[in-house]
């Protein structure tokens, strides 16, 4: 599977920005910033994203 962006992973999981932010425990504004600058995503948050979006972490980030 080719690598996809965090935003694409969220969209593929059928989650809105607000729904995903609530599940991840961050504000939707912060999640929006992180989706646009993936270098700022911490390892812990990346693991949560992988679990919630149901996609291996290795496939999420470009």
């Amino acid at each position: 599977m080719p690598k996809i962006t965090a935003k694409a992973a969220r969209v593929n999981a059928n989650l809105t920005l607000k729904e995903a932010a609530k599940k991840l425990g961050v504000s939707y504004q912060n999640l929006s910033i992180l989706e646009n600058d993936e270098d700022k995503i911490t390892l812990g948050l990346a693991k949560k994203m992988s679990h919630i979006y149901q996609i291996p972490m290795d496939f999420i980030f470009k």
Side-chain angles (χ1 to χ4, degrees):
M1 174 182 266
K3 293 184 185 265
I4 62 173
T5 64
K7 181 177 181 178
R10 173 180 56 79
V11 171
N12 287 340
N14 293 317
L15 293 171
T16 66
L17 190 63
K18 288 184 179 183
E19 290 169 338
K22 185 174 182 178
K23 289 177 181 268
L24 292 166
V26 299
S27 70
Y28 74 90
Q29 295 96 334
N30 190 32
L31 183 56
S32 177
I33 290 167
L34 294 172
E35 285 184 349
N36 289 310
D37 187 0
E38 292 183 354
D39 292 335
K40 294 183 179 183
I41 297 174
T42 64
L43 181 59
L45 186 58
K47 287 179 180 180
K48 283 183 182 179
M49 287 176 162
S50 176
H51 177 73
I52 291 168
Y53 300 164
Q54 297 182 2
I55 186 168
M57 194 168 64
D58 294 347
F59 296 148
I60 295 178
F61 303 103
K62 285 191 170 187

